[in-house]
Amino acid sequence: MATSQQPEPTPDAVTATSLPNFLLSVKLKYVKLGYHYLISHGMYLLLTPIIVAVSIHISTLTTRDMVYLWDQLRFNLVTVSLCSALLVFLATLYFMSRPRKVYLVDFSAYKPEDARIVTREIFMDRSTRAGTFTQENLAFQKKILERSGLGQKTYFPEAVLQVPPNPCMAEARKEAEMVMYGAIDDLLAKTGLKAKDIGILIVNCSLFCPTPSLSSMIVNRYKLRGNIMSYNLGGMGCSAGLIAIDLAKQLLQVNPNSYALVVSMENITLNWYFGNNRSMLVSNCLFRMGGAAVLLSNRSSDRRRSKYQLIHTVRTHKGADDRCYNCVFQEEDENKKIGVALSKDLMAVAGEALKTNITTLGPLVLPMSEQLLFFATLVARKVFQMKIKPYIPDFKLAFEHFCIHAGGRAVLDELEKNLDLSDWHMEPSRMTLNRFGNTSSSSLWYELAYSEAKGRIRKGDRAWQIAFGSGFKCNSAVWKALRTINPAKEKNPWTDEIDDFPVHVPKIEKISS
């Protein structure tokens, strides 16, 4: 592929580059977009107070009032007809404009067998034995690993662990089947759902798109029904998991009484880079094997057994900007070896996308007091050119739990600082990065599973999932817990070892170079 070469990053550049301050250059149009979402999706909220007020007033009427009202109306057929028609119209408008509620019945994050564990020593051993990396680039990878935040128990597929490595289509399919079927089997066992009841299937995997598709592999394995609506999302990066959730939400709005199965994963086998372009070697050090399966429903009868309700999804796409579009790019290096190049601009681009997404989401989730303070200072700075310090909204007032894509330690550090989050809030993301590595779009579900295993999820809690990926995209999903999650009754990848976490992760500056 004839594309320009990305500048090679150093280990310090990968781990120490700062995100831009989210709120120093907030654009009013993104705030306006958030309020547009609020109004366009909240029309039924305006009708609810009217219906409630009328119902309360009617409940206060006595028998004498009802008799008097009947005497007044029975001689006026036109008034009765108009009132009845108005009530029917308002009731119809209310029920037709109200979006269907989408419930997360349950989810499952796949945990590979112990034979797939890759420690830092095993990683370096396999990299050395591959015989394709220079000594300088072996040292480079070692430094990246030391600064990455990954622990000693992440997972690689069998093909990469073999000596010599055996990247081929058959092994890639084997990895995909292991991850997808493992997650789905566990999910079906948890929910007791029959495969034939699934009406919508969405699979997202960015770098592995075989024929037949991954979604067809699932249809074949579980003998799903012939009229199932299946979708296979490819090339959409680490944020594709929330894109799949948003697509499922849209489909559930127009297909009543349906179940949607969302499967998120990435494939390592055919995407381990064997060249010496440093901008491509970073991916080798960060990405690991993993996947998740999520069952969504719009059936009101499923509310009682569901874990969460989907409240909001907000999607941001910066692909119109060339710098954003090119910052994560799959291409061939000078020796025709395919890899994913990460630009030095990645952190800055991620910051801009996150800032846009957060600014749009703010009006939907922040308390009115926070919105007024933020909006007042924003108008004063942008409109009246007043030199005042920007007000940073406290998103901890909107969410109890934060699931931030475990893409790397540097991004997590900067988000913690910019959003003023505590170590407790960042713990699920940091521990997921440490235990499972960057599992791409499925990392958010390992993080939510961590909070469940710790017994942190209480009824009414709100969880914010936020992910970003190539393109460049940033997407958010907001969930509300419908019940308190009892970790003693749950089984997830953390169950057997949750007492070992959190673990201490040394600061970057304390690691010798």
Side-chain angles (χ1 to χ4, degrees):
M1 182 181 297
T3 57
S4 59
Q5 291 293 322
Q6 301 288 354
E8 294 185 354
T10 63
D12 291 336
V14 172
T15 56
T17 306
S18 296
L19 293 172
N21 190 307
F22 290 163
L23 297 171
L24 289 180
S25 58
V26 170
K27 296 182 180 180
L28 283 171
K29 67 178 182 179
Y30 297 129
V31 180
K32 180 181 177 182
L33 182 60
Y35 281 102
H36 169 73
Y37 283 172
L38 181 65
I39 297 302
S40 61
H41 291 84
M43 184 176 69
Y44 71 98
L45 294 177
L46 301 177
L47 295 175
T48 301
I50 297 174
I51 295 175
V52 172
V54 171
S55 300
I56 293 175
H57 181 69
I58 292 176
S59 66
T60 61
L61 296 179
T62 63
T63 303
R64 177 176 293 181
D65 294 331
M66 297 298 291
V67 171
Y68 177 77
L69 182 62
W70 172 250
D71 288 338
Q72 294 297 315
L73 293 178
R74 65 177 178 170
F75 299 111
N76 195 334
L77 183 60
V78 175
T79 303
V80 173
S81 300
L82 289 176
C83 289
S84 300
L86 180 61
L87 288 174
V88 171
F89 172 76
L90 290 175
T92 302
L93 183 63
Y94 171 75
F95 286 107
M96 290 185 65
S97 63
R98 184 178 60 177
R100 300 181 192 275
K101 294 180 179 179
V102 176
Y103 304 110
L104 190 159
V105 181
D106 212 331
F107 68 95
S108 175
Y110 177 67
K111 184 177 183 179
E113 57 188 12
D114 290 347
R116 304 280 82 79
I117 288 178
V118 53
T119 64
R120 286 191 286 270
E121 291 75 20
I122 292 176
F123 179 93
M124 292 308 303
D125 176 72
R126 297 303 187 270
S127 295
T128 302
R129 291 193 183 193
T132 62
F133 305 114
T134 65
Q135 289 299 317
E136 292 78 8
N137 280 332
L138 287 172
F140 172 80
Q141 292 182 78
K142 184 177 180 180
K143 289 182 179 181
I144 291 292
L145 283 176
E146 291 174 347
R147 290 158 168 77
S148 65
L150 274 68
Q152 292 284 63
K153 297 180 70 176
T154 58
Y155 299 96
F156 258 171
E158 182 180 357
V160 178
L161 290 175
Q162 289 179 359
V163 180
N166 182 30
C168 63
M169 181 64 74
E171 288 294 330
R173 283 186 181 274
K174 182 178 177 181
E175 178 193 350
E177 291 171 353
M178 185 184 302
V179 173
M180 293 191 305
Y181 300 162
I184 295 173
D185 287 346
D186 186 49
L187 180 62
L188 294 179
K190 282 183 177 181
T191 60
L193 186 72
K194 296 179 180 178
K196 291 287 186 181
D197 292 332
I198 299 172
I200 300 168
L201 171 64
I202 304 172
V203 182
N204 67 269
C205 182
S206 187
L207 294 176
F208 182 55
C209 299
T211 300
S213 66
L214 297 175
S215 59
S216 293
M217 291 167 59
I218 294 174
V219 172
N220 178 261
R221 164 67 180 246
Y222 296 95
K223 308 306 177 187
L224 302 183
R225 63 198 200 197
N227 65 342
I228 190 169
M229 290 178 283
S230 70
Y231 300 85
N232 202 101
L233 307 182
M236 304 195 78
C238 299
S239 66
L242 294 187
I243 294 175
I245 292 293
D246 182 66
L247 175 58
K249 172 185 137 182
Q250 303 300 330
L251 292 170
L252 288 171
Q253 294 302 311
V254 295
N255 293 279
N257 299 316
S258 297
Y259 287 107
L261 174 63
V262 175
V263 181
S264 297
M265 62 165 291
E266 193 49 85
N267 192 283
I268 305 297
T269 298
L270 288 179
N271 296 289
W272 210 53
Y273 175 62
F274 290 94
N276 284 283
N277 185 321
R278 289 192 175 184
S279 66
M280 297 179 178
L281 282 172
V282 176
S283 297
N284 282 9
C285 302
L286 297 179
F287 284 91
R288 294 295 185 267
M289 180 180 177
V294 183
L295 182 64
L296 302 175
S297 172
N298 60 10
R299 301 186 181 196
S300 56
S301 59
D302 281 324
R303 178 184 173 88
R304 292 183 61 186
R305 69 171 183 142
S306 296
K307 285 185 173 180
Y308 306 93
Q309 180 181 340
L310 181 58
I311 306 301
H312 300 293
T313 54
V314 174
R315 293 170 56 178
T316 300
H317 203 307
K318 289 285 189 177
D321 184 292
D322 289 343
R323 187 180 65 145
C324 297
Y325 174 74
N326 290 306
C327 71
V328 181
F329 212 93
Q330 186 181 26
E331 59 185 344
E332 295 176 332
D333 65 10
E334 59 277 7
N335 296 316
K336 303 300 180 181
K337 294 181 179 179
I338 297 176
V340 177
L342 305 180
S343 166
K344 285 185 176 181
D345 293 331
L346 178 59
M347 293 290 285
V349 166
E352 291 297 321
L354 284 165
K355 180 180 64 179
T356 301
N357 190 272
I358 288 172
T359 308
T360 304
L361 180 68
L364 300 175
V365 298
L366 287 170
M368 187 56 66
S369 58
E370 290 293 297
Q371 294 192 49
L372 290 175
L373 286 170
F374 171 74
F375 194 72
T377 56
L378 185 62
V379 170
R381 287 169 54 84
K382 296 292 183 178
V383 178
F384 298 103
Q385 302 297 315
M386 297 176 63
K387 295 183 179 180
I388 59 176
K389 185 178 179 180
Y391 179 73
I392 301 176
D394 187 358
F395 280 91
K396 297 188 294 293
L397 297 175
F399 307 108
E400 286 75 29
H401 309 283
F402 295 79
C403 298
I404 301 169
H405 169 54
R409 175 191 277 181
V411 175
L412 296 180
D413 288 346
E414 291 300 323
L415 278 172
E416 178 181 5
K417 181 175 67 176
N418 276 276
L419 295 178
D420 192 26
L421 301 179
S422 67
D423 290 340
W424 188 90
H425 291 111
M426 297 299 298
E427 188 179 309
S429 298
R430 293 193 187 281
M431 294 306 102
T432 294
L433 181 64
N434 178 272
R435 178 62 182 84
F436 294 96
N438 181 348
T439 58
S440 191
S441 58
S442 65
S443 67
L444 301 175
W445 301 107
Y446 288 93
E447 294 165 15
L448 189 57
Y450 181 90
S451 295
E452 290 186 356
K454 280 291 185 180
R456 296 180 176 181
I457 305 295
R458 302 284 184 235
K459 183 178 180 179
D461 282 0
R462 296 151 297 178
W464 180 18
Q465 291 181 324
I466 185 163
F468 41 90
S470 58
F472 193 89
K473 299 178 287 295
C474 176
N475 302 306
S476 290
V478 178
W479 304 90
K480 180 180 178 181
L482 298 178
R483 56 184 170 90
T484 298
I485 307 298
N486 183 354
K489 297 181 179 180
E490 294 291 327
K491 182 180 181 299
N492 68 41
W494 300 93
T495 301
D496 298 333
E497 51 187 292
I498 191 62
D499 293 336
D500 299 333
F501 293 89
V503 297
H504 173 66
V505 180
K507 296 293 185 182
I508 293 177
E509 60 267 23
K510 293 183 180 179
I511 300 176
S512 63
S513 59

